[in-house]
Amino acid sequence: MEVALAEDPRGRGAAAAEVRGRHPAAYAARGAEIAAEEEALAARRRRLRRLVVGNTHAYVPGGGEDEEAALVERVVVHLHPTFNPPVVVLTRPPFAVRRCGWGMFVVRAEVVFRPQWRHPPLYCRWLFPIPT
């Protein structure tokens, strides 16, 4: 299996071609490993996940906290400035914030996925409390 080189903004395409020329068997073997890794990651990305946002609760079947920890690196929640602290960084499951208060304001959350997923952060905004 041959791995096609993508455009390389750092100019390393020539170096890769040289390595491929000097070590074709090792280059092909590593290419097959990369393809298998990409396929495994793509299969994991295809699994559907449900993100519950807001002042509700629901049972979400799945792998539990271990699976959440494998997917999510951190969640940054931005509350109203009158809360202490107004910014909460959650680094382990359960990724939940509980606060008492009153009023209406926009809550923002940034879900940062682990690097191996190569997925950009997910930015969420919702009105609290959620109008019914």
Side-chain angles (χ1 to χ4, degrees):
M1 170 187 247
E2 180 86 16
V3 175
L5 295 174
E7 285 191 31
D8 188 1
R10 296 184 189 138
R12 295 183 185 160
E18 183 180 338
V19 170
R20 181 178 44 215
R22 288 185 182 182
H23 310 283
Y27 192 88
R30 182 61 185 136
E33 290 172 6
I34 291 171
E37 290 169 4
E38 287 292 331
E39 188 175 316
L41 285 174
R44 288 181 184 171
R45 286 187 199 119
R46 281 191 290 266
R47 281 194 257 158
L48 296 177
R49 301 287 182 243
R50 181 173 174 191
L51 175 65
V52 179
V53 176
N55 193 18
T56 62
H57 73 280
Y59 172 70
V60 180
E65 291 184 3
D66 291 338
E67 190 170 345
E68 287 179 15
L71 293 171
V72 178
E73 183 174 300
R74 71 180 177 278
V75 176
V76 182
V77 180
H78 300 268
L79 301 169
H80 191 272
T82 57
F83 283 90
N84 187 18
V87 178
V88 180
V89 179
L90 306 165
T91 56
R92 356 178 213 166
F95 297 104
V97 175
R98 299 181 192 278
R99 298 289 188 269
C100 291
W102 63 271
M104 227 175 191
F105 59 93
V106 174
V107 176
R108 293 180 297 123
E110 175 186 358
V111 180
V112 179
F113 297 95
R114 296 214 175 268
Q116 65 262 30
W117 298 109
R118 298 182 191 151
H119 194 285
L122 176 65
Y123 297 98
C124 308
R125 294 171 50 116
W126 67 96
L127 188 61
F128 181 82
I130 294 177
T132 56

